Amino acid sequence: MKNIFFILIFVVSAVHVYAQELPATPSEQTVDSSFEQIERTASDVTEQTVQPKKEDAEFKYKIEKIYPEPKRPSVKSESFLAQADESDSYVKECSDTFRYGLEEDIATLLDELTKNDDLRFVDPIYDLFQSTKSPSIRNKILAYFTKLKDPCLADYAVAVINDPYDEKKDTVDACFKYVAAAGCIEAVPGLVDLVDKEEERYFNGALSALGDLGGREEALFLSSYIDRDDLTVAQRQSLMRVLGKIKAVETWDKLSEIAQDEDENSFVRMYAAEAIGAMEKSESEDILLDLFESDDPNFRVYVLKGMSYFHDSKADALVMQALRDSQYKVRLEAVESAGKRDMKEAVPYLIYRCRDKNEQKAVKDKCYKEIARLNTKEGNEYLVEVLKDKKIGDTTKVTVAANLLEFNHAGTDAVIELARESLKSDVTKKLRYALGKEFAKYGRPEFEEICSEYIASEDVATQGTGLDIWAKGRYEGNRASVELIAADAEEKEEPSAENKKTYQFGVKKKNANAKKAKRILEQSASKPVDAVSHADENISARSKTSSDVNAAPATEKETAPADNDVSADNSVSVDNVASESETSAAVESGSVVEQASETETVSASVSEAAK
């Protein structure tokens, strides 16, 4: 009996142990796994709530300031100096000026080299920048390398932007322009910092440079500024333009609202309208088309600027409509847009505007430019017709001639013939000077013969203009004539025994342009093409596309310019050119007036002796 009892106890224990070792039932497994899944989902939701996505959170700019290493200019002076004649006194004169010259002499030379894109002195100019203590010279050198777009001064400019408070305002502004032109992206964190500090004296300059250098990170940073209430109207205007320039599409919704808000500041609305067009989102096009119906002509101008980023039939149709707008500023912008968009179908409209006696001069001058650019048979024939029309004034003819020569599609022979006619009479002397100045911009072989005729003129200023034309083209057929003029700078004429006592002005030069001719010959005949004349090869670089509406928009009270106003874009004043030519001739001669006085004195003395 006892044995049976113990056997039962053993069986019950074994069953209990076996039951504990069995796996859970399916239902139990489902409950457990479901609970775990719920826990994980809740954890994920909590994590997403605590750590939102970067683009949904307030953006924090975290890039630290950068200090680039010093580096020398990318272009070497030696490569260009090697092309120059070893006896070139101009090179020696410039080198001596950099070594020993006064501050004003160096400043004048830097302005000349910057204007001419002269690369022969990049190394001495760079070395001067490192040693000079003059802020004005430093700014001149910054302007020189800004035009060359050489990042060799990035270390200095970025350091100034990172900490501008000990520098003069004009130096900081020069650094803003330099980093933007030279593409110094190392300056971006410093620019962001200045914008973030919102100091009025640096805000606009830093923001403008940021528009040229910034990317998506900077666009996200700037997008937070749209809703700020503490920005001035000027700062908001600058912000609108930069957001469009940097293509901060994250801000499109807000900018489109601003552009359509009639209660918003009108200037802010203008820049917002241009900005949404610059972002090139298809939704912008219909909005801009509706906004063009505004009564404000300044606003219509900026709507048109925004539409210029779209290249389809809708945008073209708006440009054609704007050519007939009642406000001249809108027509001016439409004419420029037609040229940029290569809308050859607009040429008849442009010709009509030119023939309209009531049209503004600024619009006519812009039309002449775009007709020459578009290069159609009808347009070219019209411009040549203007040059030959005796009833049309010389100022208009010079403007047309300048555009024909700039784009060089047609009309060169007509311009040369007009200049040749002007050489026949001093009545058209001013026209002669103005056309000569245009020839002197280009070194084209077809100008050799007219250059010879200018040099052969007995008029001092005309001959001096001919020397300018030759300096650009270096025509071998005219070299002997230039050398003959230059020889007078060396030859001295001793006064005769009869009038030796009455000759008060010492040695008299035979030709007032002798020094000028000598200097031109001394300058290297093989001037670096890349340094001096590369602008001739790139016609678009010569084209000034900015008009008066590219500046701050005019107020509603601004009056339209009179018919005799000079266009700021491409018109040429015959009177101004004539004045420049005559003044230049006087300077080159030492003094034309003194020579005349000298001659009169000698004549008077001889007459007195005869009596």
Side-chain angles (χ1 to χ4, degrees), residues 310-347:
F310 298 93
H311 300 278
D312 55 23
S313 58
K314 287 183 181 180
D316 288 346
L318 186 63
V319 171
M320 299 295 281
Q321 178 182 340
L323 288 172
R324 293 173 289 175
D325 195 276
S326 60
Q327 226 292 330
Y328 87 98
K329 296 176 186 176
V330 182
R331 296 197 299 275
L332 197 61
E333 182 64 29
V335 172
E336 185 171 336
S337 294
K340 288 181 178 179
R341 301 169 72 84
D342 197 31
M343 296 176 60
K344 297 184 185 298
E345 64 273 21
V347 169

Side-chain angles (χ1 to χ4, degrees), residues 29-48:
Q29 286 183 344
T30 302
V31 171
D32 290 343
S33 63
S34 298
F35 182 74
E36 291 174 0
Q37 182 66 30
I38 291 171
E39 285 185 327
R40 285 196 297 269
T41 303
S43 176
D44 291 343
V45 171
T46 303
E47 184 175 336
Q48 291 177 8

Side-chain angles (χ1 to χ4, degrees), residues 61 63-66 158 161-162 184-195 210 218:
Y61 194 84
I63 301 178
E64 298 294 331
K65 291 181 179 179
I66 303 171
V158 173
I161 289 172
N162 287 343
C184 303
I185 59 174
E186 300 93 339
V188 168
L191 294 171
V192 169
D193 184 56
L194 290 177
V195 171
L210 201 57
E218 291 70 43

